[in-house]
Amino acid sequence: MRPAYPLSSKRKIPDHIQRPDYATDGIPKSEKKAYASPPEMHGPEVIEKLRTVCRMSREILDLAAAALRPGTTTDEIDEIVRNATIERNAYPSTLNYRNYPKSLCTSVNEVVCHGIPDQTCLKEGDIINLDISVYYQGYHMEPIQLARSTTNRRNLFVPRECLDKAIALCRPGALIRDLGKTMSVRTYTGHGINTSFHSPPDIPHYAKNRAMGTMKPGTIFTIELSGFLFQASLQMIHLGPNGRQVHWPDNWTATRTNGRWSAQFEETIMCFDGPAVLVLISWS
């Protein structure tokens, strides 16, 4: 993969839409405070609000996925996501987060994650990951993610199965470090998400990690599965040997140097009396 420039102009968000603290200058100031404190706990009174954001996110994901076909550009997907988000009076969480220029991440083939929508034209058989996040009424839900391909469907079952096994371990009192037993990638982690886009706890994706603490009722966090196809790991599932990972000069797009393809799935979890999966990503 290579970037297909020029990028379109940054799409504007109407003034009436509630914005996160980084929307203007790109600096997520709330995250600095969040990482200086224990993980936020949320009671049952926020459940319905979170479910509303999750349903909204799923609707936006479905609209974006419906537009995936040979000949579509990833920038066109960005416009669909931006429009669908503001129609719901919400803000696309990725937009201007640490100066990220678009309303979602579109990671194609060997792009592991954080691909920036551009003029890349999708071809028959491509694998694309749609990473969609929504900010609404003071809460982020992230990432709503779909890995999709017209000709590589069987390969996508592996990362989805790994993610489901990790979710099955989630319950109040479970050790955070135990999630790494179902995965084997060190590059990225899951994380807390709530009123801040990223917050404690960090969720390592490899065995024998040193993460401290247990899952507590009211904690909201993501589990992220993406990586080498056929080599099961929670964060990333890639096709063939690992190879080396590099970032493009845009400071976001992460790819494999060997050109092997990647697929990614991710869920948002809230621990309550038992594991409460707020978002379940289905795919076909």
Side-chain angles (χ1 to χ4, degrees):
M1 296 298 301
R2 295 290 186 274
Y5 295 138
L7 295 184
S8 61
S9 300
K10 187 177 293 185
R11 295 183 167 95
K12 295 182 179 180
I13 303 298
D15 291 340
H16 72 276
I17 300 293
Q18 182 183 7
R19 289 160 161 73
D21 62 356
Y22 53 79
T24 301
D25 60 9
I27 302 172
K29 294 169 282 293
S30 63
E31 290 188 3
K32 183 176 181 179
K33 296 179 181 178
Y35 276 100
S37 306
E40 288 187 23
M41 301 292 110
H42 300 268
E45 69 279 0
V46 305
I47 293 292
E48 284 308 312
K49 179 183 289 190
L50 296 173
R51 284 177 174 160
T52 296
V53 184
C54 289
R55 284 193 297 267
M56 183 183 299
S57 303
R58 179 67 214 205
E59 291 169 2
I60 297 167
L61 174 65
D62 287 343
L63 289 169
L68 296 177
R69 58 181 59 89
T72 301
T73 68
T74 53
D75 185 68
E76 289 170 337
I77 301 301
D78 178 75
E79 184 172 16
I80 290 170
V81 168
R82 177 265 184 194
N83 293 344
T85 304
I86 65 173
E87 285 171 4
R88 290 160 175 77
N89 289 316
Y91 183 94
S93 296
T94 59
L95 185 61
N96 213 38
Y97 175 79
R98 300 187 185 277
N99 299 311
Y100 185 84
K102 296 297 180 179
S103 296
L104 82 160
C105 301
T106 52
S107 302
V108 181
N109 298 342
E110 71 265 26
V111 178
V112 177
C113 60
H114 304 156
I116 297 176
D118 58 13
Q119 305 308 315
T120 296
C121 192
L122 298 176
K123 303 184 298 297
E124 182 70 25
D126 284 345
I127 289 178
I128 182 170
N129 302 320
L130 303 179
D131 185 345
I132 295 172
S133 313
V134 172
Y135 180 74
Y136 182 71
Q137 293 186 346
Y139 281 85
H140 295 272
M141 278 294 106
E142 180 273 339
I144 310 306
Q145 213 157 87
L146 174 78
R148 187 167 184 175
S149 171
T150 55
T151 59
N152 291 282
R153 292 162 57 88
R154 182 175 299 178
N155 295 343
L156 301 183
F157 283 99
V158 178
R160 180 69 236 190
E161 181 181 1
C162 296
L163 178 58
D164 290 340
K165 288 182 177 180
I167 290 172
L169 299 176
C170 296
R171 60 183 55 84
L175 295 174
I176 291 173
R177 65 172 179 264
D178 282 352
L179 289 180
K181 294 178 180 178
T182 66
M183 12 177 167
S184 60
V185 170
R186 296 173 178 263
T187 309
Y188 297 100
T189 66
H191 54 85
I193 181 167
N194 38 67
T195 55
S196 296
F197 199 3
H198 300 83
S199 66
D202 289 332
I203 313 291
H205 293 148
Y206 55 92
K208 298 182 181 179
N209 64 77
R210 297 183 180 182
M212 303 294 291
T214 61
M215 299 179 196
K216 295 180 173 60
T219 304
I220 308 170
F221 57 92
T222 69
I223 301 178
E224 311 179 13
L225 192 150
S226 51
F228 304 108
L229 288 170
F230 301 138
Q231 294 189 1
S233 66
L234 181 64
Q235 228 262 340
M236 285 144 200
I237 303 295
H238 298 264
L239 181 64
N242 284 4
R244 187 168 59 90
Q245 184 170 302
V246 297
H247 279 87
W248 288 359
D250 61 26
N251 294 321
W252 282 102
T253 307
T255 67
R256 307 305 300 186
T257 55
N258 59 13
R260 299 293 186 175
W261 286 12
S262 171
Q264 185 171 11
F265 292 89
E266 203 163 335
E267 297 283 12
T268 300
I269 309 295
M270 181 174 183
C271 279
F272 204 50
D273 291 333
V277 181
L278 298 176
V279 183
L280 284 174
I281 303 305
S282 60
W283 47 275
S284 60

